[in-house]
């Protein structure tokens, strides 16, 4: 399989212009990853040499800090600036951390399905699910989140590093979802290929994302805050030519640590002072695009495919 299984190549300079509500040119959202990790399974670790232990108090405790403490610190910060996040939610959070769901509902958070937990289901890295097995898995995740939050999810982010199978997008579209965040290859939404329903890609980021930046690249808090501002300023400039989306990915067990949070706050404060941007959610970005641009862009992509002989 190749990338054309999922989408057409369509460079941003060749697309019709789009605008966000009120003529805004740059949409910004925070992707807040709230996750559950099963005990006794090797996963994201702050110290790899203990990751194979069972139990592993060091790494499991570090991850669990996010849901016990870090999330409440982040919640206060978002409340302060009136930011409603897109919560990338493992379904198991509904079972193990109901207080988080309760407070998120009280704040009308945007819930985006993020698999059952971050310890299972990853495309080719684990035994491949058959399509009907995957459909059952997806339905279980979606129904669990809807029951707990009272809202049906419209979007999806694959767990365990944006994992998908070759059937995931078709199955999600068939289940009524309208967008995925897994394909981190663009600054705008665009239509995905599917045999059932209509579904799009909405930009997400593994660059402006605390997990790889702090744990893999060793960034400091001040560098993280400045990187968010730098990303914003360049996208803000680029958006004069073509409207853009900026995603900021955070995890409570990473940015929820006290010595890091202050630098996220500095970046949010800076962005919040700008008057010509749309601070929003991934749901709202997807809905606006689907309503105003999806049909015409699908037609344009058909023309592109014909020219390319695809």
């Amino acid at each position: 399989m190749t990338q054309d299984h999922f989408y057409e190549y369509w460079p941003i300079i060749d697309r019709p212009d789009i605008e966000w509500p009120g003529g805004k040119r740059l949409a910004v959202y925070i992707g807040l990853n709230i996750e559950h990790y099963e005990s006794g399974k090797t996963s994201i670790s702050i110290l790899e040499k203990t990751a194979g232990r069972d139990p592993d108090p060091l790494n499991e405790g570090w991850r669990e800090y996010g849901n016990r403490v870090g999330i409440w610190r982040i919640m206060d910060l978002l409340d302060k600036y009136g930011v409603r996040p897109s919560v990338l939610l493992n379904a198991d959070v509904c079972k193990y951390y109901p207080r988080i769901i309760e407070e998120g509902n009280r704040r009308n958070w945007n819930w985006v399905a993020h698999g059952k937990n971050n310890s299972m289901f990853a495309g080719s890295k684990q035994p491949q699910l058959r399509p009907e097995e995957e459909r059952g898995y997806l339905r279980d995740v979606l129904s669990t989140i809807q029951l707990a939050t009272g809202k049906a999810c419209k979007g999806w982010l694959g767990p365990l590093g944006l994992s998908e199978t070759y059937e995931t997008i078709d199955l999600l579209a068939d289940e009524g979802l309208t967008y995925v965040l897994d394909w981190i290859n663009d600054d705008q939404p665009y239509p995905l290929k599917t045999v059932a329903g209509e579904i799009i890609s909405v930009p997400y980021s593994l660059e402006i994302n605390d997990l790889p930046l702090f744990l893999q690249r060793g960034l400091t808090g001040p560098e993280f805050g400045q990187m968010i501002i730098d990303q914003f300023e360049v996208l803000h400039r680029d958006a004069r030519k073509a409207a853009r989306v900026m995603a900021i990915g955070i995890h409570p067990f990473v940015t929820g640590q006290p010595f890091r949070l202050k630098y996220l706050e500095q970046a949010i404060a800076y962005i919040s002072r700008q008057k010509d941007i749309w601070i929003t959610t991934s749901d709202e970005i997807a809905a606006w695009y689907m309503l105003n641009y999806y049909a015409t862009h699908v037609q344009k992509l058909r023309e592109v495919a014909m020219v390319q002989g695809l």
Side-chain angles (χ1 to χ4, degrees):
M1 292 286 189
T2 59
Q3 67 183 30
D4 64 5
H5 178 82
F6 299 106
Y7 52 84
E8 305 287 2
Y9 173 65
W10 197 22
I12 197 167
I13 62 170
D14 292 342
R15 301 174 202 167
D17 193 21
I18 67 174
E19 285 188 343
W20 304 123
K24 304 291 178 61
R25 305 293 296 175
L26 178 59
V28 180
Y29 79 92
I30 290 181
L32 174 57
N33 293 260
I34 304 182
E35 299 163 336
H36 174 67
Y37 295 83
E38 293 183 311
S39 182
K41 294 188 178 180
T42 302
S43 190
I44 295 166
S45 302
I46 194 169
L47 187 61
E48 291 293 334
K49 70 179 182 180
T50 75
R53 296 176 182 172
D54 183 15
D56 178 18
L58 189 153
N59 288 307
E60 290 183 25
W62 169 69
R63 294 189 296 263
E64 184 72 3
Y65 180 89
N67 292 331
R68 294 173 68 90
V69 181
I71 183 61
W72 311 107
R73 189 173 285 129
I74 291 174
M75 195 178 294
D76 287 344
L77 171 60
L78 298 177
D79 287 350
K80 179 178 178 179
Y81 290 93
V83 175
R84 179 174 167 243
S86 295
V87 176
L88 314 175
L89 185 70
N90 285 166
D92 276 353
V93 171
C94 302
K95 174 181 178 181
Y96 293 104
Y97 315 104
R99 283 289 286 127
I100 296 177
I101 304 300
E102 179 183 344
E103 290 299 319
N105 275 340
R106 195 162 68 85
R107 289 164 171 79
N108 193 31
W109 278 358
N110 174 193
W111 304 106
V112 179
H114 185 29
K116 178 176 172 58
N117 56 54
N118 261 34
S119 301
M120 66 177 293
F121 180 62
S124 61
K125 293 185 179 181
Q126 295 184 8
Q128 196 79 25
L129 292 176
R130 294 191 298 271
E132 286 311 305
E133 291 176 324
E134 185 177 1
R135 185 186 296 277
Y137 167 85
L138 296 174
R139 285 181 174 176
D140 180 63
V141 168
L142 296 170
S143 63
T144 297
I145 295 175
Q146 182 170 1
L147 182 64
T149 66
K151 297 178 181 178
C153 291
K154 295 297 184 183
W156 177 271
L157 178 74
L160 281 177
L162 319 187
S163 60
E164 288 189 2
T165 71
Y166 280 104
E167 287 74 36
T168 302
I169 291 175
D170 287 333
L171 292 171
L172 290 171
D174 197 38
E175 293 300 316
L177 274 72
T178 56
Y179 72 94
V180 298
L181 299 174
D182 296 338
W183 294 91
I184 52 172
N185 57 3
D186 216 300
D187 287 340
Q188 291 182 346
Y190 65 85
L192 290 166
K193 295 181 179 180
T194 178
V195 298
E198 299 176 344
I199 195 165
I200 64 172
S201 172
V202 170
Y204 183 58
S205 179
L206 289 184
E207 293 272 2
I208 303 301
N209 190 303
D210 59 2
L211 197 56
L213 289 176
F214 286 122
L215 300 185
Q216 297 172 12
R217 302 186 189 179
L219 254 68
T220 65
E223 289 171 329
F224 179 58
Q226 187 59 52
M227 184 177 285
I228 294 173
I229 292 172
D230 291 345
Q231 179 91 344
F232 173 85
E233 289 181 342
V234 173
L235 285 174
H236 197 219
R237 181 193 65 202
D238 289 349
R240 298 170 192 162
K241 296 181 180 178
R244 310 277 169 151
V245 174
M246 176 176 172
I248 303 171
I250 59 174
H251 298 71
F253 60 91
V254 181
T255 298
Q257 299 288 342
F259 68 97
R260 294 191 181 112
L261 189 84
K262 64 180 290 186
Y263 301 104
L264 175 65
E265 177 168 7
Q266 290 173 5
I268 291 176
Y270 173 82
I271 292 172
S272 297
R273 289 195 295 269
Q274 314 307 312
K275 302 300 184 184
D276 58 345
I277 61 168
W278 185 29
I279 300 177
T280 184
T281 67
S282 54
D283 269 21
E284 291 175 341
I285 291 168
W288 181 263
Y289 178 86
M290 292 294 284
L291 177 65
N292 294 283
Y293 301 105
Y294 177 82
T296 57
H297 281 198
V298 167
Q299 181 59 38
K300 288 288 184 181
L301 279 170
R302 287 177 181 149
E303 295 171 5
V304 168
M306 290 179 62
V307 170
Q308 295 175 353
L310 299 177

